[in-house]
Amino acid sequence: MKLTILGCYAATPRTFTNPTSQVLEIRNHHFLIDCAEATQVQLRKNKVRFTQINHIFISHLHGDHFYGLIGLISSFTLLNRTGDLHVYGPKGIKEIILLQLRYANSYTGYQLFFHELESTASEVIFEDEKVVVKTIPLKHRVYTNGYLFQEKPAERKLDPDAVRKYKIDICYFQNIKNGKDVTLEDGTVIPNEKLSFDPPAPKSYAFCSDTVFTEDYLDIITGVDVLYHESTFLESEAHLSERTMHCTAKQAAEIALKARAKQLILGHFSTRYDSIEHFREEAMAIFPATDLADDGKIFEF
Amino acid sequence: MKLTILGCYAATPRTFTNPTSQVLEIRNHHFLIDCAEATQVQLRKNKVRFTQINHIFISHLHGDHFYGLIGLISSFTLLNRTGDLHVYGPKGIKEIILLQLRYANSYTGYQLFFHELESTASEVIFEDEKVVVKTIPLKHRVYTNGYLFQEKPAERKLDPDAVRKYKIDICYFQNIKNGKDVTLEDGTVIPNEKLSFDPPAPKSYAFCSDTVFTEDYLDIITGVDVLYHESTFLESEAHLSERTMHCTAKQAAEIALKARAKQLILGHFSTRYDSIEHFREEAMAIFPATDLADDGKIFEF
């Protein structure tokens, strides 16, 4: 998995900081998560090819998370995109985008599918042979979802030495990769674990932004490998945090601890602070495996 | 008058170029003309204070001219704006903005007035004691207006030496500035031109973007001091220009010549060309007083 942070600051775009948007590369997918104003410029700056983006997940309909969507959809048309585009987001997103395309009299030249969400329970919204994506219902000022991206277990790896030793015919290889034992012509059964290695453990990534501090979604993210969690404020601004339904760095760390996450990435920083390092310090006191997002930063796990 | 170009390129925002937006300072007003995606960042970069913007003029509902409006309106709220904001633009603009504010559940904390346009004849849409703004109906793929900004004649300037010589009482000063003669107590009439100087000639600025080549709006802009005119293509791409209802640099120059403009500024450049200097060369063959817009460029006249 590779995570490219296009923007990770709260509220308004500024000269040197961008609101929320990120690209998760997972098993050959390039999932765009949130799409704040000028995300298309951030994609260009970070050299993410537009044609790689086929699925866009929008957490909620606040501007700092989706005002760049209409521009990206329009630019795809201007650049003669042909591939399907799937947009997942709160109910209303389709109406907002189509209204603007209608007034511009410029409908997309490609198939545009909206998957509108309104459930307050977690649901599987995308699944193929390699990846599952589930919603993480969050609590914010408007209907909001985080997203959990889970790799499915990969095929087992063939052990070339063992295969040669037991003179296994090529026609059995796919069965071995699928975990099956092999029965030789003389009736001998070679157990699968003698012929193959475990595949790399499937990884998972949870994106949680924006939300007030609550344990309601702990079950869904428990055991996640990497948790990206909003931490708009420090504890010194806990009053603002509660009022605006956001989290502090300390609260994000508590969530990571309780969810037994392996790694925490903080983001959605208020631009009021002189340095985002304060967020790391506050969180690490509770959850040491804490890292900070920043625009243009890449995480590989 | 001072014109700050925030963006002057066509179609999609790119890493180093921005779509249409500009600020016209005229008689203490800061008029924002068009508002493409990330205009709020361009305002910051070019040090235009958000609180100075009270009137926004949108030419048409294509993304490269107004997708930054919703973000700017939202940021004004986040930054606790209190002053009224007036938005002028095609019918539909109010529906688009209000729909997004409704789904974000974040209405503006200031008064937001929409002045929706649908006339195909030129009309006065703003007037105070110093400035008049009229629409310039253009011909594009959707309903589009350019805007003509005209200073009103300023007050005459008092001639301090003459006023002293004729011993004119201070109570007559405003009348003199307003062009009136002064009758002394002995019945002598001092003609105004002996007591005051002509004010600087009122200036005018026409913004024409986007439009196909047509003489339909020549009457409205005739004699304009500064004409900003779109020139999306060069003559070598005249076929594209006609199909997409844009102008070439040559056509923009022909309009400037026929309108007897004093100065032409070209903009709305397609990003397909290696240098925008080609636009200047093509236009200057017809209209020598041609200049090029560019992001961040400031014109004073």
Side-chain angles (χ1 to χ4, degrees):
Chain A
M1 288 201 298
K2 178 179 169 187
L3 179 69
T4 303
I5 306 293
L6 304 176
C8 66
Y9 289 83
T12 65
R14 297 193 172 234
T15 306
F16 301 110
T17 62
N18 296 278
T20 304
S21 185
Q22 48 184 250
V23 177
L24 179 70
E25 290 183 47
I26 177 171
R27 295 276 171 89
N28 297 324
H29 289 293
H30 288 69
F31 291 136
L32 181 63
I33 308 170
D34 277 347
C35 188
E37 190 173 351
T39 288
Q40 57 178 314
V41 177
Q42 285 297 97
L43 285 167
R44 286 184 187 275
K45 284 185 181 168
N46 289 280
K47 310 221 181 300
V48 180
R49 290 212 319 276
F50 283 12
T51 50
Q52 291 176 318
I53 307 288
N54 300 318
H55 302 271
I56 303 176
F57 300 87
I58 301 294
S59 62
H60 63 302
L61 299 183
H62 279 162
D64 54 339
H65 296 260
F66 98 105
Y67 282 170
L69 181 61
I70 179 65
L72 188 60
I73 284 174
S74 299
S75 291
F76 282 163
T77 296
L78 289 168
L79 299 168
N80 300 316
R81 180 191 178 100
T82 55
D84 296 350
L85 181 69
H86 294 266
V87 175
Y88 306 79
K91 188 166 167 54
I93 198 166
K94 181 176 177 178
E95 184 185 357
I96 290 170
I97 299 299
L98 292 190
L99 181 71
Q100 293 180 84
L101 295 180
R102 179 159 62 79
Y103 275 113
N105 194 24
S106 55
Y107 293 96
T108 61
Y110 53 93
Q111 290 279 311
L112 176 59
F113 297 96
F114 288 95
H115 305 267
E116 291 199 312
L117 309 173
E118 47 187 332
S119 173
T120 52
S122 178
E123 52 186 344
V124 172
I125 55 170
F126 174 87
E127 181 163 15
D128 67 5
E129 68 279 10
K130 293 174 177 171
V131 179
V132 182
V133 185
K134 293 174 189 160
T135 57
I136 307 170
L138 301 175
K139 268 197 186 160
H140 192 44
R141 305 196 304 275
V142 293
Y143 176 75
T144 303
N145 285 296
Y147 295 102
L148 176 65
F149 302 85
Q150 295 174 298
E151 290 180 344
K152 288 187 177 178
E155 288 182 337
R156 296 184 64 78
K157 302 256 177 210
L158 220 54
D159 177 346
D161 294 336
V163 162
R164 221 174 290 122
K165 174 180 160 193
Y166 292 105
K167 298 192 171 65
I168 307 288
D169 193 87
I170 194 169
C171 69
Y172 292 104
F173 286 7
Q174 190 56 51
N175 277 352
I176 297 170
K177 289 180 189 170
N178 293 346
K180 300 243 172 79
D181 300 337
V182 174
T183 307
L184 301 179
E185 285 188 1
D186 66 1
T188 321
V189 175
I190 319 283
N192 186 283
E193 57 270 26
K194 288 199 169 173
L195 299 169
S196 67
F197 303 116
D198 288 344
K203 292 219 169 68
S204 56
Y205 172 73
F207 169 83
C208 293
S209 182
D210 305 0
T211 186
V212 75
F213 180 66
T214 165
E215 298 189 0
D216 291 357
Y217 54 90
L218 265 186
D219 282 356
I220 306 163
I221 63 169
T222 291
V224 72
D225 289 283
V226 182
L227 171 62
Y228 176 98
H229 201 286
E230 75 126 300
S231 63
T232 310
F233 298 102
L234 299 174
E235 276 295 305
S236 48
E237 279 66 44
H239 56 294
L240 284 180
S241 191
E242 207 176 320
R243 201 180 72 205
T244 57
M245 300 190 77
H246 283 298
C247 280
T248 65
K250 178 167 174 269
Q251 291 171 330
E254 282 170 4
I255 294 288
L257 187 70
K258 287 180 181 171
R260 299 192 297 279
K262 294 193 184 64
Q263 186 179 348
L264 171 65
I265 300 174
L266 297 177
H268 203 265
F269 309 117
S270 164
T271 53
R272 75 186 54 222
Y273 301 105
D274 61 335
S275 163
I276 57 175
E277 284 301 325
H278 304 309
F279 288 88
R280 193 203 304 264
E281 289 158 23
E282 185 171 296
M284 281 184 75
I286 288 165
F287 190 84
T290 297
D291 213 332
L292 299 179
D294 209 354
D295 299 4
K297 199 163 172 179
I298 291 172
F299 296 90
E300 298 199 61
F301 14 80
Chain B
M1 288 200 298
K2 178 178 168 189
L3 179 70
T4 303
I5 306 294
L6 304 176
C8 66
Y9 289 83
T12 66
R14 298 192 171 234
T15 306
F16 301 111
T17 62
N18 297 278
T20 303
S21 184
Q22 50 185 248
V23 177
L24 179 69
E25 291 183 47
I26 177 171
R27 296 275 170 91
N28 297 324
H29 288 294
H30 288 69
F31 291 137
L32 181 63
I33 308 169
D34 277 348
C35 188
E37 189 172 351
T39 288
Q40 57 179 314
V41 177
Q42 285 298 97
L43 285 169
R44 285 182 188 276
K45 284 186 182 167
N46 290 278
K47 310 220 182 299
V48 180
R49 290 212 319 274
F50 282 13
T51 50
Q52 291 177 317
I53 307 287
N54 300 317
H55 302 271
I56 304 176
F57 299 87
I58 301 294
S59 63
H60 64 301
L61 298 182
H62 279 161
D64 54 339
H65 296 260
F66 96 106
Y67 281 170
L69 181 61
I70 180 65
L72 187 61
I73 285 173
S74 301
S75 290
F76 282 163
T77 296
L78 290 167
L79 299 169
N80 300 315
R81 180 192 179 99
T82 55
D84 296 350
L85 181 68
H86 294 266
V87 175
Y88 306 79
K91 190 167 165 53
I93 198 165
K94 181 177 177 178
E95 184 185 356
I96 290 170
I97 298 300
L98 292 190
L99 181 71
Q100 293 181 83
L101 295 180
R102 179 158 62 79
Y103 275 113
N105 194 24
S106 56
Y107 293 97
T108 60
Y110 54 91
Q111 290 279 311
L112 177 58
F113 298 96
F114 289 95
H115 305 267
E116 292 199 312
L117 309 173
E118 46 187 333
S119 171
T120 52
S122 178
E123 50 187 345
V124 171
I125 55 170
F126 174 87
E127 182 164 14
D128 67 5
E129 67 279 13
K130 293 174 177 173
V131 179
V132 181
V133 184
K134 294 174 188 160
T135 58
I136 307 169
L138 302 174
K139 268 198 186 161
H140 193 44
R141 305 195 304 275
V142 291
Y143 175 75
T144 302
N145 285 297
Y147 295 102
L148 177 65
F149 301 84
Q150 295 174 299
E151 292 180 340
K152 287 187 179 178
E155 288 181 337
R156 297 184 63 78
K157 302 255 178 209
L158 218 56
D159 178 346
D161 295 335
V163 162
R164 221 175 292 124
K165 174 180 161 193
Y166 291 105
K167 299 191 171 67
I168 306 287
D169 192 86
I170 194 169
C171 68
Y172 293 104
F173 285 6
Q174 190 56 51
N175 277 352
I176 296 169
K177 288 180 188 170
N178 293 344
K180 299 241 172 77
D181 299 338
V182 174
T183 307
L184 301 179
E185 287 187 1
D186 65 0
T188 320
V189 175
I190 319 282
N192 187 281
E193 59 269 27
K194 287 201 169 171
L195 299 169
S196 68
F197 303 116
D198 288 344
K203 293 220 168 68
S204 57
Y205 173 72
F207 169 84
C208 294
S209 179
D210 305 359
T211 185
V212 74
F213 180 66
T214 164
E215 299 189 1
D216 291 357
Y217 53 92
L218 265 187
D219 282 354
I220 307 164
I221 62 170
T222 291
V224 74
D225 289 282
V226 182
L227 171 64
Y228 176 98
H229 201 285
E230 75 125 300
S231 63
T232 310
F233 298 102
L234 299 172
E235 276 295 307
S236 47
E237 279 68 44
H239 56 294
L240 284 180
S241 190
E242 206 177 323
R243 201 180 72 205
T244 58
M245 299 191 76
H246 283 298
C247 280
T248 64
K250 178 167 176 270
Q251 290 171 331
E254 282 170 4
I255 293 288
L257 187 70
K258 287 182 181 169
R260 297 192 300 278
K262 294 194 184 62
Q263 186 179 348
L264 171 65
I265 300 174
L266 297 177
H268 204 264
F269 309 117
S270 164
T271 53
R272 77 186 54 222
Y273 302 105
D274 62 336
S275 164
I276 57 174
E277 284 299 326
H278 303 309
F279 288 88
R280 193 203 303 264
E281 289 159 21
E282 187 171 294
M284 281 184 75
I286 288 165
F287 190 84
T290 296
D291 213 331
L292 300 179
D294 209 354
D295 299 3
K297 198 164 172 179
I298 290 173
F299 296 90
E300 299 199 61
F301 14 81

